[in-house]
Structures are given as structure tokens and as C-alpha cells.
Amino acid sequence: AQSVTQPDIHITVSEGASLELRCNYSYGATPYLFWYVQSPGQGLQLLLKYFSGDTLVQGIKGFEAEFKRSQSSFNLRKPSVHWSDAAEYFCAVGARAAGNKLTFGGGTRVLVKP
Amino acid sequence: DTAVSQTPKYLVTQMGNDKSIKCEQNLGHDTMYWYKQDSKKFLKIMFSYNNKELIINETVPNRFSPKSPDKAHLNLHINSLELGDSAVYFCASSQEAGLLTGELFFGEGSRLTVL
């Protein structure tokens, strides 16, 4: 079965500083990988996704993520955080062989200090 | 226009009651989902429908019964509500049952509180 671990429950960063959110997955074959963001009181919005090809993927709002097969990781990064980036971030893994289900990690809450 | 809309946004009810949450999407998608987010923000899929047909049914108590009258609507009915049903329920849709597009469009959630 597929699974996703986000080791950091919450992270606090200063505005303008860089941000990296960790995601580790478990799946036997090449998975489909996603990052979603959830602002307070809102639904989830897709930031970026990886299916195949270039292991560094660009997303919306200045985010990027890198797929590292050897480490089973798909970490999310942003070079300079804005106060509006304060939110909950979810990594997810999906696979056709797993019935096309998306399995989400437990989320990382990002707080942005002025 | 809201792409995926859920009603009600908030629902407070007593144990043992029956309640429904409705979901509609105007994106023309074929597939709709119900996810449950617990108090620790953990998101878990409950059901998925593709063109009104049930394709994913996780281990969910049979007190939960989804219903899809057409591919733009997916409702969730819950019988005999229990305290543990308190959560935020998210409806979502996607272009196809597969993951090639990779994107789920989520509603804003329906917060259910069972007293």
C-alpha cells in the first residue's frame, strides 16, 4: 500500500526567508506525486505535480519540488516566503495500480513571521 | 462561479440524527469524491464516483451512503450520527477517474459537529 509521511507538523519561517517542506513516500513503483495547499477555512488547491520526466517541477505561487527516487522524497521549496504563504501544506501520492486513489500525508502547517 | 460547491458549510447536530451534505461541480468533470479531514488535519478518501458509478469505497461504516443523481452532483447521507463523525468533509472532482491530469478540485468543506 502507498503511504506518505510529512515529518514536520509545523514550521515557522520569517518573511523573505526560504522554505523547504519534507515529504517521503512509500510505493513500489513510480508514483504520481502532488503538493496541495490549504488556506484557513478553504479547500485544497494543487500547487504542483510530478508524473515523469524532469525531476524538478515548477508550480504556482513560486513553489517548486524535486523528486528524488533514491530517497523516496518529494520536497517542496520556495526561495522567498510571503506572509500569504501561511497555510497547511499536504503532500500526496497516487498510483493507477492503487485504484487511482490519492493518499495524503498528515500535512505541515507553515507560520510566517513578519 | 464556484467550481465545486458544498452545502451546508457548517452543520451542528445531535448524536443519532441523520444528516446530508450536498455537492455540485460545474466543471464538467466525470469523477467526484468525498474526503474526510479529522481534527488532526488527516485527509482520507471515503468514496469516488465516475459518471454516477461508484468506483472507490473505502472502509467506511455503512451509515454513510453516497448518492450521485448525475455526474455533476454527489451527495453524502449519514445515518445515526456518532461523535466520531465530527470532521470536515470535502467534496472534490477531477477530469477522469485516472490520475493523468493529477488535479483534484476541492470544495470549501462542510464542518460537521456532532454533540
Side-chain angles (χ1 to χ4, degrees), chain A residues 9-75:
Chain A
I9 295 174
H10 54 79
I11 286 179
T12 301
V13 293
S14 298
E15 194 167 11
S18 63
L19 174 69
E20 180 166 12
L21 304 182
R22 295 183 290 164
C23 172
N24 294 99
Y25 69 90
S26 173
Y27 183 64
T30 300
Y32 301 146
L33 295 161
F34 310 86
W35 275 99
Y36 282 82
V37 60
Q38 184 181 23
S39 298
Q42 301 295 313
L44 281 74
Q45 181 186 21
L46 181 70
L47 283 176
L48 47 78
K49 59 192 177 188
Y50 171 79
F51 289 162
S52 63
D54 192 347
T55 56
L56 184 63
V57 292
Q58 303 296 321
I60 62 172
K61 305 186 180 189
F63 284 92
E64 66 177 27
E66 186 171 11
F67 170 58
K68 292 186 177 179
R69 184 189 301 276
S70 61
Q71 297 176 21
S72 298
S73 69
F74 189 56
N75 294 348

Side-chain angles (χ1 to χ4, degrees), chain B residues 2 13 25 28 41-42 49-50 66 71-72 82 85 87-88 90 95-96 100 104 106:
Chain B
T2 304
T13 188
Q25 54 95 3
K41 299 285 188 176
F42 183 64
Y49 272 74
N50 180 250
K71 74 174 191 176
E82 300 177 358
D85 298 332
V88 181
F90 284 100
Q95 183 61 39
E96 59 168 279
L100 292 179
L104 297 185
F106 283 83

Side-chain angles (χ1 to χ4, degrees), chain B residues 2-50:
Chain B
T2 304
V4 181
S5 58
Q6 302 178 224
T7 55
K9 197 166 182 177
Y10 299 95
L11 189 53
V12 181
T13 188
Q14 300 286 333
M15 276 176 54
N17 284 350
D18 304 337
K19 291 294 177 185
S20 292
I21 307 172
K22 297 186 176 181
C23 179
E24 175 181 4
Q25 54 95 3
N26 61 6
L27 299 168
H29 288 167
D30 297 323
T31 308
M32 295 184 73
Y33 311 78
W34 278 111
Y35 277 82
K36 179 180 179 181
Q37 187 176 47
D38 63 23
S39 58
K40 296 183 178 179
K41 299 285 188 176
F42 183 64
L43 260 171
K44 187 171 169 56
I45 190 168
M46 301 173 69
F47 302 103
S48 173
Y49 272 74
N50 180 250

Side-chain angles (χ1 to χ4, degrees), chain B residues 12-16 83 86 113-115:
Chain B
V12 181
T13 188
Q14 300 286 333
M15 276 176 54
L83 293 176
S86 296
T113 303
V114 182
L115 304 175

